[in-house]
Amino acid sequence: MEPIEGVSFLQGDFREPEVLEQLEALVGERKLDLVVSDMAPNLSGIASADAARVADLVELALAFAHDHLIPDGALVAKVFHGGAYDGLVQAFRRQFRVVKVIKPKASRDRSAETFLVGLGLKA
């Protein structure tokens, strides 16, 4: 990736403790306005396994947002409709005052991809 002025680029697997530590070192003590998670697992084609992998990544993003967002901060996370979808929406509702479901125009109609937007971190 070409360098972008003022942007720190970190490539790695967010599930690995070393990568999370590197990201947290970049953030430091600052609280963030926004966390965007466009993470997606390698899909196997087995619906229940893929739903669990997606849920795991979204739960990691929720935990990171909880630890690093300002009180009025927001989290945008890619999710896929499937077995874990309703549970992920409920997890967002537990953590944020407002939860919106967004299907971007750039996403194909038949794609199960959706984004959950959580606004206003609950104390």
Side-chain angles (χ1 to χ4, degrees):
M1 182 173 149
E2 291 291 324
I4 301 171
E5 186 177 337
V7 174
S8 298
F9 179 74
L10 174 64
Q11 182 173 347
D13 187 333
F14 192 71
R15 297 169 298 169
E16 297 295 328
E18 311 82 50
V19 174
L20 181 56
E21 288 171 12
Q22 290 174 9
L23 180 58
E24 288 180 330
L26 285 171
V27 170
E29 296 298 316
R30 296 175 298 192
K31 290 292 185 177
L32 306 172
D33 297 314
L34 173 67
V35 172
V36 177
S37 170
D38 192 30
M39 296 185 288
N42 292 328
L43 299 177
S44 67
I46 301 169
S48 60
D50 291 342
R53 289 182 179 122
V54 169
D56 182 47
L57 291 174
V58 174
E59 289 167 2
L60 289 171
L62 279 164
F64 184 84
H66 179 268
D67 293 343
H68 297 284
L69 281 177
I70 63 171
D72 288 330
L75 169 63
V76 178
K78 180 193 300 187
V79 298
F80 295 92
H81 287 273
Y85 178 78
D86 290 338
L88 293 173
V89 172
Q90 291 306 317
F92 262 71
R93 288 189 174 136
R94 284 190 297 275
Q95 192 160 317
F96 293 96
R97 290 189 299 274
V98 176
V99 176
K100 297 182 180 190
V101 177
I102 306 291
K103 175 82 169 168
K105 291 179 183 177
S107 181
R108 293 175 303 215
D109 289 340
R110 63 179 184 259
S111 171
E113 175 184 83
T114 301
F115 287 84
L116 290 177
V117 179
L119 305 169
L121 193 62
K122 290 181 180 177

